Amino acid sequence: MTARPCGRRRGAVMLACLLAGFAGTLSAQELSLPGGATLTRELVEQAGGHAVPTGPWAGGAQPTQDAVGRVTRQSWRVAGAPVTTLQLTNKLEAQLEAAGYSTVYRCASAACGGFDFRFNLTVLPPPEMFVDLFDYHYISARKPLDEAETDAFVTLLISRSGADTYIQITRIAPPSATTSVTGAPKAAPPGVIPAPTAPLMQALTQRGHAVLRDLDFATGADTLGPGPFASLTALAAFLKADSARRIALVGHTDTVGGLEPNLALSRRRARAVMQRLIDTHGVAPAQLEADGIAYLSPTAPNTNDAGREANRRVEAVLLSGG
């Protein structure tokens, strides 16, 4: 295992160092971190292996899938923790989906298996990477590669120490997909993010709905952040590809406050997303409708911060087309 001479880098939106580390299957245009993110360490195995967790630690064992190829491990520190670990996990998962990856397994802290799960992972050591056993999120994702006999994998471990957030990104690329990079590809123009890929389409056409995980609303507010949001780019392209497709945007809240105020807030948030799709992405208004149902359809308990945050969301529901 050797360390690449990447040094300590900062990433405001597009991360040049990620571009080198993820060449071929995941580029800097497809995965971005909050402003001020600093690369603290990078290790590369040219021909290695990684046991990718596919479920929680249980009964003294960890279910995994073996992945082989070029293994790149990076640790990043985000000073000041501008978002919660859950918010950042949602944003990064949405970006992975927009880059063509499908989530294999996702969990948080105790649900992963707590101490045992964390210490079964290969984690870069402190001070470059810290993991709070009571506040960490994990994702493993897979992307099929036409030119390779095996798939590419990315795993993310997101946690916090003090005021800072720490992220470990592990990428396993099959040998046939690991051509050397002699120069960085041209960056996408500002505001441009990748075209949609299978995961969002599959969620809409197979399950009938998809959570737009990377949207950014201030607490108690209905103003959508500036973006760009990978989920909206993907959703817009999905709709524009077939004018017969129609969706309903449905706002959801936690249980803080009464039903009527939360109904109003959930509706305003859904309408804000609809307006962004029309104004910024050029989606036909006839393909969209928006409403909200407050806290009447939770996906997690409203008894803790993580559950309430998970329940505050906007979903796309497929009404017609396919």
Side-chain angles (χ1 to χ4, degrees):
M1 184 179 293
T2 57
R4 289 174 57 88
C6 207
R8 295 176 182 269
R9 308 284 179 91
R10 290 188 178 275
V13 178
M14 300 305 177
L15 303 171
C17 195
L18 271 178
L19 190 58
F22 289 90
T25 55
L26 187 68
S27 74
Q29 289 105 351
E30 294 167 331
L31 188 62
S32 61
L33 301 181
T38 302
L39 179 68
T40 57
R41 191 170 188 182
E42 182 181 71
L43 296 177
V44 175
E45 291 179 90
Q46 294 296 340
H50 186 81
V52 178
T54 58
W57 176 280
Q62 177 66 63
T64 61
Q65 177 174 347
D66 291 334
V68 296
R70 185 172 185 265
V71 181
T72 303
R73 295 184 177 94
Q74 294 180 328
S75 55
W76 293 81
R77 179 174 62 86
V78 182
V83 294
T84 67
T85 53
L86 177 59
Q87 288 172 330
L88 182 55
T89 302
N90 289 340
K91 290 176 182 293
L92 294 178
E93 184 177 35
Q95 292 179 39
L96 285 171
E97 290 179 352
Y101 287 78
S102 297
T103 298
V104 175
Y105 180 58
R106 172 175 170 165
C107 62
S109 305
C112 300
F115 176 94
D116 294 311
F117 182 90
R118 179 263 176 265
F119 282 98
N120 194 58
L121 299 176
T122 301
V123 180
L124 295 171
E128 289 83 11
M129 181 68 193
F130 287 95
V131 181
D132 182 342
L133 292 176
F134 300 98
D135 183 10
Y136 72 82
H137 293 260
Y138 174 83
I139 291 176
S140 56
R142 176 197 297 118
K143 180 178 183 179
L145 297 176
D146 293 338
E147 71 276 16
E149 294 182 359
T150 58
D151 297 340
F153 289 85
V154 171
T155 72
L156 304 176
L157 180 63
I158 300 102
S159 190
R160 178 170 292 176
S161 178
D164 298 339
T165 298
Y166 290 82
I167 307 151
Q168 179 167 309
I169 304 170
T170 301
R171 179 240 182 185
I172 309 95
S176 59
T178 56
T179 55
S180 61
V181 178
T182 57
K186 293 181 180 180
V192 175
I193 55 180
T197 48
L200 184 136
M201 296 181 189
Q202 288 175 350
L204 286 172
T205 57
Q206 295 178 11
R207 299 197 300 269
H209 65 99
V211 178
L212 308 179
R213 296 187 182 93
D214 57 340
L215 302 184
D216 182 16
F217 290 97
T219 302
D222 57 17
T223 301
L224 182 61
F229 300 109
S231 64
L232 295 190
T233 298
L235 183 58
F238 175 76
L239 291 169
K240 291 161 77 172
D242 185 349
S243 60
R245 291 171 177 160
R246 294 184 62 251
I247 64 161
L249 297 159
V250 183
H252 301 261
T253 68
D254 58 28
T255 55
V256 177
L259 177 60
E260 291 304 321
N262 276 302
L263 274 174
L265 177 61
S266 64
R267 288 167 177 159
R268 293 197 305 270
R269 285 181 169 176
R271 289 165 185 162
V273 175
M274 180 175 70
Q275 204 60 47
R276 180 69 59 87
L277 285 167
I278 295 170
D279 294 344
T280 302
H281 296 276
V283 176
Q287 291 182 271
L288 301 167
E289 62 182 69
D291 209 334
I293 56 174
Y295 48 67
L296 299 179
S297 182
T299 61
N302 279 290
T303 53
N304 55 60
D305 289 342
R308 287 188 290 272
E309 188 167 351
N311 288 330
R312 297 191 293 266
R313 67 198 189 278
V314 175
E315 294 190 36
V317 177
L318 185 61
L319 300 178
S320 63

